[in-house]
Amino acid sequence: MLKKITVTVNETPHHLEVEPRLLLVHMIRELLNLTGTHIGCDTTSCGACTILLNGKSVKSCTILAVQANGKSITTIEGLAPEGGPLTPLQEGFKENHGLHCGFCTPGMILRATELLARNNNPTEEEIRWGISGNLCRCTGYNNIVKAILYASAKMRGEALPSTEPEFV
Amino acid sequence: MIAQSFQYESPGTLAEAISMLNKYGEEAKILSGGHSLIPMMKLRLATPEWLIDINGIPGLSDIKKEGDVIKIGALTTEADIEHSDLLKKHFPLFADVTKLIADPQVRNVATIGGNLAHGDAANDHPAVMLALHATIIATGSGGKRSIPIDEFFQGFYMTALQHGEILTEIQIPVPSAGTGSAYHKLERKVGDYATAGVAVQLTLDGNDVCNSAGIGLTNVNPIPLRASRSEQALTGKRLTDETIEEAARYASEDCSPSSDLRGSEEYKRHLVAVLVKRMIRKAAERARK
């Protein structure tokens, strides 16, 4: 039996009728055509499907669309206004080569968005633990960590760290 | 992967949820965080016909102190536990354990009630609750029932919860002064189940004599295991290298790990002994502060 739900996605309310077994990630990608939220492992491991649900980062492959009824969702498409300035994290990823193939990037950025909302001055270790539920199969973690450090400095209004690539 | 079709209900009160459980019978499952259940449903290892989502029921996610007892609501998430000052103050092991449970996104959703009600010896909270001598509160149509943690885990994925009952609260005695606790598990990577895990809570007097000990073991037994002989080996004794060694040996003998991709039985028994020693020392260090 279809269930009627109302979800606010990127500040736009949507009234949908969904099967209870519909996963949130499929609702986002297939019913709302917001394909920036990716499906990687489909087993709660990789974090590519990470979105914000009422401000908390969650893996949308392991939540039912009906569980989001009455809640607010932010996907990667909702972070910066169309044509407007990037968020500090998006800018950080751009400036620090924080993405290689880009597949993990939306999940990384949404996870880091909550991380920095809780703590805008994390240590490198806190960042690495903070993104421990997100896999980058290009193994580009060093630049991802740099990107998050850059964004945290920007959010605190402090001098921005160097964006020169490291050769190791 | 898509789960088999099911009907979904989201009751607003506990009474409603319990009457739905009774109405739909064995084909109904409770949905709390869903981070064990939904993956099982996607793999079709679980195929409930009804899901009863209890997240809309108010009052099930508080952490509070009432007299000598800390009460944790069943819907409290791992992230709430991680950030609770009350739990940090009384039980340093919660900071150890929450950091090692799955990953940050999962901890935002997964609940302590679900972790326990799932009845999986590979989960971390069963061993923690054994060490802390917790009591499980189950609510059914006849009201509330207290289940001592030692009677809660009854078999492989089997608990003392009866059909029509919902795990609603966990109660933990507030430890006396001179108590410390610690948890560690060895995991191959973030999000893996424990190769082995050990939870310890100790109360020491001023002369380092152990007045009480609680030791629980993760994923080295078909059901979550209290290391009773290890606890007895410490209780009433001064903590010395010899008593700690004896407690560790008993735990490694009394558990029953199976050989798998995470290691051989022999390796896991060795690991249990090492972790028991380390967690006793860490809990003792915290107890002396």
Side-chain angles (χ1 to χ4, degrees):
Chain A
M1 197 201 295
L2 296 180
K3 279 269 168 191
K4 284 187 181 156
I5 60 169
T6 302
V7 284
T8 302
V9 181
N10 302 331
E11 298 181 355
T12 305
H14 295 271
H15 305 284
L16 302 166
E17 281 193 55
V18 299
E19 258 196 276
R21 63 177 172 170
L22 182 73
L23 296 170
L24 189 54
V25 69
H26 292 301
M27 182 200 89
I28 291 168
R29 288 177 56 86
E30 290 155 27
L31 299 188
L32 305 180
N33 294 322
L34 295 169
T35 52
T37 303
H38 293 161
I39 301 175
C41 68
D42 202 9
T43 55
T44 340
S45 303
C46 78
C49 65
T50 300
I51 53 135
L52 299 181
L53 186 61
N54 281 358
K56 287 182 180 175
S57 56
V58 300
K59 294 184 172 179
S60 60
C61 75
T62 311
I63 292 181
L64 304 167
V66 286
Q67 289 179 277
N69 187 22
K71 293 185 177 163
S72 118
I73 290 169
T74 305
T75 68
I76 191 71
E77 291 91 344
L79 287 181
E82 189 98 27
L86 297 176
T87 68
L89 270 163
Q90 289 173 315
E91 184 185 313
F93 273 71
K94 180 171 169 244
E95 294 299 325
N96 290 277
H97 305 277
L99 53 153
H100 286 196
C101 81
F103 196 85
C104 72
T105 312
M108 285 283 183
I109 288 181
L110 285 156
R111 171 61 204 137
T113 300
E114 190 202 357
L115 176 74
L116 294 184
R118 277 186 187 274
N119 172 10
N120 74 359
N121 195 9
T123 62
E124 183 178 332
E125 201 203 341
E126 285 168 338
I127 291 172
R128 287 185 184 272
W129 270 105
I131 58 167
S132 61
N134 295 73
L135 302 180
C136 166
R137 65 184 173 180
C138 309
T139 69
Y141 296 102
N142 283 352
N143 286 347
I144 291 169
V145 172
K146 273 176 72 179
I148 298 170
L149 284 168
Y150 175 101
S152 77
K154 175 122 187 173
M155 285 165 70
R156 298 193 310 275
E158 289 175 10
L160 298 174
S162 161
T163 57
E164 285 300 307
E166 267 176 74
F167 296 100
V168 285
Chain B
M1 292 174 293
I2 312 290
Q4 182 177 295
S5 264
F6 56 86
Q7 308 282 325
Y8 172 87
E9 297 273 14
S10 51
T13 67
L14 207 47
E16 237 181 298
I18 291 162
S19 87
M20 285 173 185
L21 277 180
N22 288 321
K23 183 171 153 200
Y24 302 134
E26 296 287 333
E27 293 306 327
K29 286 287 276 182
I30 293 286
L31 178 67
S32 57
H35 272 45
S36 295
L37 181 58
I38 292 174
M40 286 176 78
M41 289 171 62
K42 286 169 70 178
L43 292 166
R44 311 230 173 174
L45 295 171
T47 52
E49 286 177 15
W50 291 88
L51 265 200
I52 300 168
D53 183 350
I54 58 172
N55 286 284
I57 302 174
L60 291 181
S61 53
D62 302 325
I63 305 173
K64 57 195 176 194
K65 183 167 173 278
E66 279 183 21
D68 299 340
V69 178
I70 303 275
K71 298 182 172 179
I72 306 176
L75 290 182
T76 305
T77 64
E78 303 296 350
D80 293 336
I81 291 172
E82 198 173 357
H83 298 114
S84 159
D85 291 331
L86 182 64
L87 291 181
K88 257 180 225 161
K89 185 179 155 204
H90 293 289
F91 307 103
L93 96 171
F94 277 118
D96 302 335
V97 67
T98 45
K99 197 176 173 187
L100 293 171
I101 291 177
D103 62 52
Q105 287 96 312
V106 173
R107 293 198 290 274
N108 272 339
V109 186
T111 65
I112 187 168
N115 192 294
L116 291 163
H118 195 46
D120 187 350
N123 280 353
D124 299 279
H125 283 301
V128 167
M129 293 306 153
L130 284 165
L132 302 184
H133 297 280
T135 301
I136 303 293
I137 306 299
T139 307
S141 50
K144 286 184 187 178
R145 178 165 81 96
S146 299
I147 309 167
I149 194 71
D150 287 278
E151 293 165 23
F152 186 70
F153 302 107
Q154 300 202 331
F156 193 62
Y157 288 101
M158 274 173 57
T159 68
L161 289 172
Q162 300 293 315
H163 191 79
E165 280 186 327
I166 300 175
L167 192 164
T168 47
E169 191 174 81
I170 296 103
Q171 299 186 349
I172 310 172
V174 174
S176 52
T179 300
S181 57
Y183 183 83
H184 190 63
K185 73 171 168 187
L186 189 75
E187 55 179 1
R188 298 175 302 177
K189 58 184 173 64
V190 163
D192 191 19
Y193 288 115
T195 305
V198 174
V200 172
Q201 179 170 266
L202 298 176
T203 306
L204 301 180
D205 73 7
N207 298 317
D208 239 15
V209 173
C210 178
N211 287 333
S212 72
I215 302 179
L217 307 180
T218 300
N219 211 14
V220 288
N221 205 63
I223 64 170
L225 186 68
R226 173 183 298 290
S228 305
R229 279 207 298 161
S230 309
E231 293 174 351
Q232 286 155 20
L234 298 176
T235 308
K237 306 243 178 66
R238 211 166 161 265
L239 274 192
T240 62
D241 286 350
E242 288 72 32
T243 50
I244 293 172
E245 196 70 45
E246 194 187 4
R249 184 166 57 80
Y250 287 149
S252 74
E253 286 172 6
D254 293 349
C255 65
S256 185
S258 48
S259 296
D260 59 19
L261 289 172
R262 295 184 184 85
S264 65
E265 180 193 335
E266 187 191 7
Y267 169 71
K268 290 181 182 181
R269 286 190 193 278
H270 175 75
L271 185 58
V272 165
V274 171
L275 287 177
V276 166
K277 278 188 267 191
R278 287 187 191 168
M279 290 309 104
I280 290 173
R281 294 211 164 92
K282 197 166 178 184
E285 208 175 285
R286 288 168 171 175
R288 291 181 197 114
K289 273 183 189 160

